[in-house]
Amino acid sequence: MDVGAAEFEESLPLLQELLSDADFVGLDIEFTGLRSNLSGPQQISLFDLPSEWYLKTRQSVQQFTVCQIGLSVFTTVEGEINKYVAHSCNFFLFPTTFGILDSEFSFQASSVQFLNQYGFNYNKFLKNGISYMNEEQEKKIRHEILSGNWRMRSSLDKDQIKVVIDEVTRWLYLAEEGGWMALPGITGFRAFEVQLVLRQALPNIWTVQKDEGVIVKKVSKQHRWYLENTSCDRDSYWKENILLSVKGFSVFFQMLVKAGKPLVGHNMMLDLLHLHEKFFRPLPESYDQFKQNIHSLFPVLIDTKNVTKDIWKEMNFPRVSNLSEVYDILNSDLNPTKNSGPEIVHASRCEKYVETKYPHEAAYDAFLCGSVLLKVAHLLLQKVHSIDPTPKSSFPQYLDVLAPYVNQVNLIRAGVPKINFSGPDYPSVRPPILILSVRQWPGVSEQQVYHKFQNLCKFDVRRLTRSQFLLLTNKFKDVRIILKEYRGHPTLRVSLYRHWRHSPNISCLLQVCGVVTAWALLAFLLGRSGP
């Protein structure tokens, strides 16, 4: 089901009902770009601590925006054993342009090309995207609207509103009191915007929103005063409705947070960063504060990338490169619990995914996330109980067996493989760091060292001294390959890095200690040889 601005408000009651009954929610987000083309020390690196990775990625999240959010709400079918129905929705989003809000964001050519390849509808994003804002933006707009200081910022909006005001003014000149006219085709918060401007500009009219558009009625000033102060249409109440409409998808985000359901994604770290930045608050500079905020918003997170990565080798499944391949293997005969696992069906309004695959459409990927979670959990449960088929499995049982993976979110490239949102991060399990000592290669750079090794295997490179470089990979076999290949090399000597031995700071400290010790010993000897 695709939801744009025109359909969003009508769908909110149904969405709230689905959330209240859900067992968990699958999530996927598409962006206008993934990562800024940073260079040098600003590039993401395997050397990065989680806090360093966060600060670098934070810049990219602030630069790009969300163009589509996919949610798949999974609910147990009442009266059925281990059967789930999935309600999958695509939400096309576009930043709010209202009052002083006029966001700036970038497009990354590779991301646009990627989404185009999979049929992304940019018209729905640009022309019918649902508005949204975070709490900081909401405070600014609320103050503007409730204080009466609201002004339009967009010149296009001003031109359109000017046309509407001219049309209504010409009509007013000939209209009798009690007469009315319709302004068709004005919907959503634009309808509130038009009404707000007309009420401010023309003291002898009143406006209401109907199915056919905005209705303008000519009234006396006394009747206008009465309408403004009646219980059903007080100015403050009306302005609160404007704010509610302008908030758009942020209203649903708050419903999602309040529902407190487990949130499931695949490689979902960027998704969480954007959820925080776009719908909650601007990302804090503090990495620890970010973790606390996310845990407060979503107490139960499950990253299927982290779960499947952990069990894939153990099950001797073939290597996979994306979520769709993970889903296919779990649905194949390679999965020993294929026939005993949970049954998953699509809801009646979400049947486009029954026969056809839509990779990288957000709602489809969100559905895959939820399905993978259920199938992997069933596999784990069967291993724990050593029973096949596992009888009468339920989602609470699945949550129990998934407990070691809860709030552990995968990191693609950093000093640790995952972030723990409910406590301290785990220590790194990366392969050991190598140290490269270079001879007879004056002025060598990190980039040149990288290109030297890239055909053999991929290493992140960091300069240690003028002629020494640190090499780090996420594959243990790469360490063995390089150590074997460069054993006894005349100009490039590679060995395991030992901090106590190779760190310039420790070397400097040892030299200072050596000098001090030598002077102390000399002074002691001279003192003994004196009279």
Side-chain angles (χ1 to χ4, degrees):
M1 182 170 67
D2 290 348
V3 180
E7 308 87 12
F8 178 68
E9 289 188 28
E10 292 180 7
S11 66
L12 275 176
L14 172 62
L15 293 169
Q16 187 166 25
E17 183 180 346
L18 288 175
L19 283 179
S20 65
D21 296 334
D23 289 292
F24 67 95
V25 179
L27 168 78
D28 184 70
I29 304 180
E30 302 297 340
F31 317 109
T32 58
L34 292 180
R35 195 174 295 285
S36 304
N37 293 318
L38 302 172
S39 59
Q42 292 304 310
Q43 284 184 319
I44 297 297
S45 166
L46 292 172
F47 290 101
D48 290 337
L49 297 172
S51 56
E52 294 171 320
W53 185 96
Y54 168 74
L55 288 175
K56 291 177 181 179
T57 309
R58 175 176 176 260
Q59 297 178 46
S60 297
V61 171
Q62 292 169 332
Q63 181 176 345
F64 301 116
T65 197
V66 171
C67 52
Q68 188 184 63
I69 287 186
L71 293 173
S72 194
V73 181
F74 283 75
T75 307
T76 305
V77 177
E78 190 174 351
E80 300 275 358
I81 295 175
N82 207 17
K83 184 175 181 180
Y84 296 82
V85 60
H87 296 262
S88 305
C89 302
N90 279 313
F91 299 92
F92 290 88
L93 270 60
F94 192 82
T96 298
T97 54
F98 186 89
I100 62 170
L101 294 188
D102 189 13
S103 302
E104 296 180 5
F105 61 88
S106 300
F107 284 91
Q108 195 166 33
S110 58
S111 294
V112 173
Q113 189 178 44
F114 177 82
L115 290 177
N116 271 334
Q117 180 183 348
Y118 289 99
F120 182 79
N121 191 332
Y122 277 95
N123 274 333
K124 285 190 176 181
F125 159 53
L126 295 170
K127 294 183 178 180
N128 194 30
I130 305 164
S131 61
Y132 62 87
M133 63 178 69
N134 61 34
E135 291 181 0
E136 187 175 286
Q137 293 169 322
E138 180 185 343
K139 286 178 183 178
K140 293 178 182 177
I141 287 297
R142 177 183 295 275
H143 179 265
E144 267 201 320
I145 291 176
L146 297 183
S147 64
N149 294 326
W150 173 83
R151 296 290 184 274
M152 274 181 299
R153 179 167 185 158
S154 165
S155 59
L156 176 62
D157 287 347
K158 290 177 181 177
D159 291 342
Q160 292 173 338
I161 290 291
K162 186 176 183 301
V163 171
V164 172
I165 291 176
D166 289 344
E167 184 181 352
V168 174
T169 302
R170 288 195 300 271
W171 168 79
L172 270 177
Y173 181 73
L174 299 174
E176 296 182 359
E177 189 173 316
W180 61 273
M181 70 173 292
L183 301 172
I186 302 175
T187 59
F189 75 78
R190 291 297 177 206
F192 289 117
E193 190 175 30
V194 166
Q195 291 181 78
L196 186 60
V197 173
L198 287 174
R199 290 188 184 190
Q200 288 177 339
L202 303 170
N204 58 336
I205 60 104
W206 192 244
T207 61
V208 291
Q209 178 69 32
K210 299 286 187 181
D211 291 340
E212 59 267 32
V214 174
I215 304 299
V216 182
K217 186 176 181 180
K218 185 173 182 178
V219 298
S220 66
K221 291 183 179 179
Q222 292 81 1
H223 192 202
R224 166 72 178 257
W225 180 91
Y226 170 78
L227 290 170
E228 286 178 342
N229 290 277
T230 54
S231 58
C232 62
D233 203 352
R234 293 183 187 276
D235 194 47
S236 59
Y237 172 80
W238 193 74
K239 289 178 179 179
E240 283 289 346
N241 280 336
I242 296 176
L243 182 64
L244 190 66
S245 185
V246 173
K247 284 171 64 176
F249 189 81
S250 301
V251 175
F252 179 70
F253 174 78
Q254 290 165 0
M255 289 181 184
L256 183 63
V257 171
K258 188 175 181 181
K261 305 295 182 177
L263 192 64
V264 179
H266 188 81
N267 238 347
M268 65 191 302
M269 191 63 201
L270 270 181
D271 297 342
L272 295 173
L273 286 158
H274 276 278
L275 288 177
H276 190 298
E277 171 79 14
K278 304 304 187 293
F279 309 114
F280 180 53
R281 294 171 191 164
L283 286 166
E285 291 189 12
S286 165
Y287 165 69
D288 289 334
Q289 185 63 58
F290 164 71
K291 284 179 58 176
Q292 290 174 25
N293 291 349
I294 289 294
H295 189 53
S296 175
L297 293 169
F298 305 110
V300 180
L301 295 169
I302 306 176
D303 187 343
T304 54
K305 174 71 173 181
N306 183 46
V307 183
T308 55
K309 186 172 66 173
D310 194 51
I311 70 166
W312 219 246
K313 288 184 180 180
E314 185 180 345
M315 297 303 302
N316 202 27
F317 287 152
R319 290 184 64 182
V320 292
S321 60
N322 56 52
L323 175 62
S324 184
E325 292 178 1
V326 172
Y327 176 77
D328 288 342
I329 287 177
L330 291 171
N331 275 322
S332 73
D333 292 334
L334 294 171
N335 180 2
T337 63
K338 174 191 172 185
N339 297 322
S340 65
E343 181 184 355
I344 303 166
V345 297
H346 294 278
S348 58
R349 298 177 64 185
C350 312
E351 292 172 338
K352 66 181 284 190
Y353 300 144
V354 172
E355 298 293 339
T356 309
K357 296 180 179 181
Y358 290 84
H360 303 294
E361 183 169 287
Y364 180 73
D365 282 358
F367 166 75
L368 295 188
C369 286
S371 300
V372 165
L373 178 82
L374 290 172
K375 292 176 184 297
V376 169
H378 189 80
L379 190 59
L380 290 170
L381 192 63
Q382 186 269 335
K383 284 181 58 185
V384 168
H385 293 286
S386 301
I387 300 171
D388 189 15
T390 305
K392 298 183 181 180
S393 302
S394 64
F395 189 69
Q397 286 179 297
Y398 287 158
L399 271 184
D400 287 343
V401 79
L402 288 166
Y405 305 99
V406 170
N407 295 326
Q408 312 297 311
V409 176
N410 186 63
L411 274 187
I412 295 177
R413 195 167 192 82
V416 297
K418 57 187 175 183
I419 283 178
N420 178 20
F421 279 94
S422 53
D425 293 325
Y426 297 103
S428 174
V429 291
R430 299 290 188 204
I433 300 174
L434 300 179
I435 183 168
L436 168 68
S437 299
V438 180
R439 298 175 182 174
Q440 300 175 15
W441 194 355
V444 60
S445 68
E446 292 178 353
Q447 194 69 16
Q448 288 172 311
V449 171
Y450 175 82
H451 287 303
K452 178 69 178 176
F453 291 101
Q454 69 174 349
N455 291 330
L456 196 60
C457 42
K458 297 274 193 306
F459 280 87
D460 281 359
V461 181
R462 178 170 289 182
R463 184 184 291 276
L464 184 66
T465 66
R466 188 173 62 177
S467 60
Q468 289 182 313
F469 298 85
L470 299 180
L471 309 178
L472 184 57
T473 180
N474 56 6
K475 297 178 181 178
F476 283 89
K477 69 174 184 178
D478 290 349
V479 172
R480 293 192 294 269
I481 289 171
I482 289 293
L483 288 174
K484 181 180 178 181
E485 187 74 17
Y486 283 84
R487 184 180 297 151
H489 195 282
T491 59
L492 300 176
R493 189 175 68 184
V494 182
S495 60
L496 293 176
Y497 174 76
R498 302 290 186 228
H499 184 70
W500 60 267
R501 178 181 176 188
H502 296 116
S503 170
N505 292 335
I506 291 182
S507 296
C508 181
L509 180 62
L510 291 175
Q511 289 176 10
V512 170
C513 290
V515 171
V516 170
T517 302
W519 277 105
L521 181 60
L522 179 62
F524 175 75
L525 293 174
L526 290 174
R528 288 191 63 183
S529 62

